[in-house]
Amino acid sequence: MDWERDGMTRRSALYHSAGALALVCSFDFDKRGTAARGKTSANLRSQLASPFEPFQRDLPIPAVARPVRATKKLEEYVFDMKPGTADILPGLQTPILGYNGGFPGPTIKARRGREVQVLQRNQSGRSLNVHLHGGVTLPQFDGHPHDAIPTGEERLYKYPNVAHSSTLWYHDHAHGETAQTLFAGLAGFYLLDDPDDNHLDLPQGDYDVPLMITDRSFNKDGSFRYRLDLDRGFRGDTILVNGAVAPRMKVERRLYRLRFLNASNARAYVLKLGNGRDMIQIGSDGGLLPAPVRRKEIPMEPAERVDVIVDFRQFGVGSKVILHNQGGEPSTSAVMRFDVVRGSAEEARIPKLMREEEELPEVNAERSWPLTFQGLAGGASVWQIGGGGFSEMRIDCRPRQGSTELWTWRNLSNRTHPMHMHGYHFKIVSMNGKAPHPGDRGWKDTVAVYPNETVVVRPYFDHYAGLYVFHCHAAEHGDMSMMGQMEVVA
Ligand SMILES: [Cu+2]
């Protein structure tokens, strides 16, 4: 199936791409569309089309949060975690749980060297907490699963922003309930910028675009439909980018920085642009790579981030460039579309070198962690790390602050586990005996351990000492109960 329409007219491309997609919808929308016709005749055509057809809506960009107070050294924010509604399907309101009642939450733009404090007020009706994913924070601000904010109460989180520039995100981490709260909408971007990177002339402003990719299913009334699948994790039949069904985005013929985040519960994506045009990867979880890496396909497990530059000068005005999910079913194979609408003057460039390789301290310990699906007495099964499920009573290891270690994830199951470490970053040493892809050689906080494979990583326990968790970021796996604790000792 050829969805790529480089150089074709907009009209024919629109018809072609819409017709080519066999969409598996979770319910029949024609009835509701017919009923709604009388109400909004102005938008008749979009009412008649299935709301699950891709490229009908413009890409929303999550609002940038405004600090309530800001100095050179500190920015303060106040967020309310509360129920709200999202405009995802035409004519329907989708109930969500969100930061300030929105999905995605507001984007925090932070600067290296300037602290951010977020007062999180929990008005959700349930216990929550907040984890800044990829953040380097003291343990009391990390969102340990048992460190909850009861509903009606608030908590001040302090983020020192001592790490390099990187695409982070914040989300709920309530013990055993993250699959539900993440699914309900509690996720937002946190973009950490380092003024020292300004000389790289990367695309900025409107040309620096955060893209939160999630999957959902819907009930007839427009609400999210969740079905627990402890084995595979939740997999929806509809792709949302920044909360819109496979949207379209008008772009100019110039360089764009696209910051991909997989904020799905458990779905992995393999991103491919058009017929396989290059995306120039510049960053991963822990920030900028040493040098750009050209990629035609980018696999993304839950919680991973990949920053790319796309050069839209290679496409003519009028081109429609689809971002595909190579790993998807028919209804989840289109992620979004870029519509090239006009030329533009270029201010950015593709840098040759971005970041120096750090020298690491010697390896201080080696640890091996089998990942298993374990049957329990009574017939239930749980996911485990190192032969145990999560217990706040157990500390699985005590690395020394300032050291590096070698951790071997041995996946003895037939599901992929995106293994995530709080508080620190690691380098991937090998993936099933092979050197990692150049795009995976930067600092990481989440790594895919594929079924029956082995991944060796080298965490660097720099910055703060204290108690942090590490876990599988397939949310259903982490909840039940693929999570361990490490206490980094000074
Ligand atoms: Cu897992």
Side-chain angles (χ1 to χ4, degrees):
M1 185 185 309
D2 174 23
W3 290 349
E4 184 63 8
R5 296 291 106 201
D6 293 2
M8 282 188 67
T9 67
R10 297 174 68 178
R11 179 173 294 269
S12 67
L14 185 72
Y15 284 143
H16 184 91
S17 58
L21 283 161
L23 285 163
V24 181
C25 298
S26 41
F27 57 94
D28 173 15
F29 231 79
D30 287 351
K31 271 185 202 156
R32 197 211 53 76
T34 309
R37 218 177 340 175
K39 267 196 301 191
T40 24
S41 56
N43 211 0
L44 184 64
R45 209 181 142 210
S46 69
Q47 290 287 358
L48 287 171
S50 162
F52 300 105
E53 243 172 63
F55 322 134
Q56 297 189 84
R57 275 190 59 192
D58 289 327
L59 174 80
I61 303 292
V64 175
R66 288 237 196 95
V68 292
R69 217 157 63 88
T71 66
K72 269 189 181 158
K73 292 268 171 224
L74 173 69
E75 286 180 299
E76 296 173 51
Y77 296 86
V78 178
F79 283 8
D80 293 328
M81 300 185 278
K82 62 180 185 185
T85 54
D87 291 316
I88 299 172
L89 305 176
L92 293 173
Q93 298 278 298
T94 301
I96 57 108
L97 204 52
Y99 298 97
N100 289 346
F103 167 66
T107 298
I108 293 178
K109 288 200 169 176
R111 213 171 69 190
R112 189 179 192 201
R114 180 159 69 181
E115 185 172 312
V116 161
Q117 296 186 358
V118 187
L119 181 68
Q120 292 279 4
R121 304 192 294 206
N122 183 0
Q123 300 164 9
S124 69
R126 61 196 296 165
S127 285
L128 298 173
N129 66 12
V130 183
H131 171 54
L132 177 60
H133 186 119
V136 174
T137 68
L138 284 163
Q140 61 266 39
F141 305 121
D142 182 58
H144 186 282
H146 279 286
D147 188 11
I149 314 165
T151 187
E153 297 188 16
E154 61 188 35
R155 172 78 60 84
L156 185 69
Y157 288 90
K158 298 181 178 180
Y159 305 125
N161 298 321
V162 291
H164 289 278
S165 59
S166 43
T167 301
L168 312 179
W169 62 300
Y170 60 96
H171 64 82
D172 178 66
H173 215 301
H175 174 58
E177 299 184 350
T178 303
Q180 293 167 47
T181 57
L182 182 60
F183 185 81
L186 283 166
F189 276 103
Y190 186 108
L191 308 180
L192 176 54
D193 183 45
D194 184 346
D196 286 351
D197 293 337
N198 287 349
H199 69 280
L200 297 174
D201 297 327
L202 297 172
Q204 291 182 11
D206 292 344
Y207 310 103
D208 177 1
V209 187
L211 298 169
M212 180 188 288
I213 306 172
T214 58
D215 62 337
R216 293 289 189 274
S217 293
F218 292 87
N219 295 308
K220 220 166 193 176
D221 62 1
S223 59
F224 289 148
R225 186 173 68 198
Y226 184 79
R227 194 176 66 84
L228 178 65
D229 182 340
L230 180 61
D231 178 21
R232 301 179 77 193
F234 174 83
R235 291 164 73 87
D237 55 25
T238 304
I239 302 299
L240 308 180
V241 181
N242 294 346
V245 175
R248 63 193 176 209
M249 178 191 177
K250 290 188 179 77
V251 295
E252 301 165 17
R253 293 186 67 239
R254 56 181 292 158
L255 301 177
Y256 280 75
R257 179 180 188 171
L258 307 177
R259 301 176 187 246
F260 297 122
L261 157 66
N262 181 356
S264 310
N265 278 34
R267 178 181 282 278
Y269 302 85
V270 179
L271 302 179
K272 184 178 178 183
L273 191 67
N275 285 332
R277 299 298 186 101
D278 279 347
M279 295 180 274
I280 301 152
Q281 184 181 353
I282 56 169
S284 63
D285 301 343
L288 295 173
L289 300 174
V293 175
R294 287 179 178 272
R295 299 185 86 163
K296 295 191 187 307
E297 289 190 357
I298 301 179
M300 290 197 76
E301 290 292 325
E304 287 192 298
R305 286 88 69 212
V306 170
D307 280 26
V308 301
I309 291 178
V310 171
D311 187 350
F312 285 103
R313 293 172 300 193
Q314 67 186 304
F315 302 104
V317 170
S319 298
K320 316 258 183 203
V321 186
I322 294 173
L323 182 68
H324 303 275
N325 170 26
Q326 290 294 98
E329 303 84 27
S331 75
T332 55
S333 56
V335 178
M336 63 179 291
R337 192 181 70 193
F338 301 96
D339 295 354
V340 184
V341 294
R342 62 174 174 275
S344 178
E346 188 57 73
E347 292 145 19
R349 66 190 169 92
I350 301 165
K352 285 199 169 63
L353 295 171
M354 294 178 293
R355 186 165 160 183
E356 282 185 24
E357 294 266 23
E358 296 90 338
E359 268 199 37
L360 300 183
E362 294 213 339
V363 171
N364 191 47
E366 297 191 23
R367 306 181 199 276
S368 179
W369 306 100
L371 309 173
T372 52
F373 198 41
Q374 204 69 44
L376 302 177
S381 296
V382 292
W383 291 102
Q384 295 189 333
I385 301 176
F390 178 61
S391 166
E392 60 173 330
M393 309 302 289
R394 190 186 65 239
I395 293 171
D396 298 83
C397 61
R398 288 190 166 80
R400 196 184 308 148
Q401 187 184 16
S403 73
T404 67
E405 298 189 350
L406 284 184
W407 284 25
T408 301
W409 304 110
R410 287 193 299 129
N411 189 348
L412 306 179
S413 76
N414 58 359
R415 297 292 177 218
T416 301
H417 303 294
M419 298 308 297
H420 170 49
M421 179 178 275
H422 284 218
Y424 309 96
H425 292 84
F426 52 78
K427 289 281 177 92
I428 301 173
V429 177
S430 66
M431 298 187 82
N432 219 29
K434 293 187 195 126
H437 186 282
D440 289 328
R441 288 184 196 165
W443 287 104
K444 294 280 292 167
D445 56 52
T446 307
V447 62
V449 187
Y450 294 112
N452 301 303
E453 293 198 358
T454 294
V455 171
V456 181
V457 299
R458 186 172 174 187
Y460 183 14
F461 299 100
D462 53 352
H463 297 293
Y464 307 119
L467 184 71
Y468 296 89
V469 293
F470 55 95
H471 62 93
C472 176
H473 219 291
E476 287 78 5
H477 294 183
D479 281 351
M480 277 288 282
S481 52
M482 208 170 203
M483 188 165 330
Q485 295 193 100
M486 56 187 175
E487 184 175 29
V488 175
V489 293

